[in-house]
Amino acid sequence: VLDNIKLVGEEGTIPEEPVVPTPTAPAAPVVVADTVTETTVTLVWNVVENATSYNVYMDTLLVENVTDTIYTVDSLTAETTYWFFVTAVNEVGESEYSNEVCVYVPAPPAPALTFSYNGNKTTDTINDIKIIRDLNASLEIQFDLEISNNTANDMNVVCEVEDLSNIGQSYICWGSCYMPGITEVVNTVYAGGNAIFNGHAMFVDEEWNELPKGTVIPVRYTFYDEKNPSEKYVFNVKIIY
């Protein structure tokens, strides 16, 4: 029996045994901020050889371990600066930190329309307002609203009126004054400009007799850009004599 025999090559050399590389942690990725909104940041990075996953960090805190090379961090605070970096991971360990990505999350865009009632500006989409006062000489109480167009373009603003009382007589002045019973009107508010809306509730019956003190006339006024009817601003107004 022959043991420990090594084959010799044609030139008398002994072939070297193959060298098995020692496993190592992966290299660090290179990260960029792809998309930034007022609440989110989307990070993307390159594929790293031998990496099985990636750790995403925000301000040194681990946010998530992912297998993709894109990740969106959400629920961020507007007008705040954040720092992000990513590491590559495999069975040996974690890479060095990637380059740091500094991102400033911007403020949300200003609404196209803002409203001021009694000097108090409001941008809420639904507002509940109660007006209690005596009648004027025309037996009515007036609801005044200043409307501002914050865009660079003229805007046709629609006003829809719903008299929810079926008592009294309501009419509006929006560009022009309209007879009671008109439920929708349009007025142009110029770019960067303001316009005054007047809602009138007349406390009279069908024979134009004054209604009793304590009468409540609820009216709903809905405003929107004629080109963007999905964004509505609603004012539920209780007008009380």
Side-chain angles (χ1 to χ4, degrees):
V1 178
L2 301 177
D3 295 324
N4 300 323
I5 296 177
K6 293 185 179 181
L7 299 177
V8 179
E10 293 180 356
E11 298 180 358
T13 59
I14 300 174
E16 296 181 358
E17 294 182 0
V19 177
V20 178
T22 302
T24 59
V30 177
V31 186
V32 296
D34 182 61
T35 306
V36 180
T37 73
E38 61 268 21
T39 58
T40 67
V41 172
T42 298
L43 304 169
V44 295
W45 56 90
N46 60 297
V47 175
V48 176
E49 186 178 1
N50 297 325
T52 56
S53 65
Y54 303 91
N55 286 335
V56 180
Y57 292 86
M58 180 177 71
D59 298 337
T60 72
L61 298 176
L62 177 62
V63 176
E64 192 67 78
N65 176 265
V66 298
T67 57
D68 207 347
T69 56
I70 183 171
Y71 183 76
T72 298
V73 185
D74 57 15
S75 301
L76 300 178
T77 302
E79 300 183 271
T80 304
T81 299
Y82 295 91
W83 292 87
F84 299 95
F85 58 86
V86 177
T87 60
V89 180
N90 64 11
E91 66 278 4
V92 175
E94 188 175 12
S95 73
E96 298 292 329
Y97 292 155
S98 70
N99 56 299
E100 288 186 317
V101 177
C102 178
V103 177
Y104 177 75
V105 177
L113 294 173
T114 52
F115 301 81
S116 296
Y117 168 69
N118 274 357
N120 297 316
K121 181 168 290 188
T122 173
T123 57
D124 295 334
T125 54
I126 297 180
N127 297 268
D128 293 307
I129 296 174
K130 182 184 292 185
I131 302 173
I132 305 175
R133 63 179 65 144
D134 289 332
L135 305 182
N136 62 19
S138 300
L139 302 180
E140 65 181 23
I141 296 175
Q142 186 169 308
F143 166 59
D144 298 326
L145 194 65
E146 182 179 5
I147 302 174
S148 301
N149 175 3
N150 301 312
T151 73
N153 301 300
D154 297 345
M155 185 185 302
N156 289 331
V157 179
V158 179
C159 175
E160 297 176 351
V161 184
E162 297 175 79
D163 188 335
L164 306 177
S165 66
N166 294 318
I167 59 174
Q169 299 192 49
S170 297
Y171 71 97
I172 60 175
C173 294
W174 182 226
S176 300
C177 289
Y178 298 85
M179 293 294 293
I182 300 296
T183 59
E184 181 178 315
V185 296
V186 179
N187 186 35
T188 300
V189 183
Y190 296 110
N194 304 316
I196 301 298
F197 168 84
N198 305 122
H200 300 257
M202 300 186 67
F203 285 75
V204 294
D205 59 22
E206 294 179 354
E207 297 179 357
W208 294 86
N209 297 311
E210 181 179 337
L211 296 174
K213 199 172 183 67
T215 299
V216 179
I217 298 181
V219 185
R220 179 179 295 125
Y221 302 96
T222 301
F223 298 88
Y224 55 88
D225 177 4
E226 192 174 48
K227 295 181 178 179
N228 184 22
S230 63
E231 185 174 350
K232 297 181 185 294
Y233 302 84
V234 181
F235 293 83
N236 295 310
V237 183
K238 286 186 177 179
I239 305 174
I240 304 171
Y241 169 32

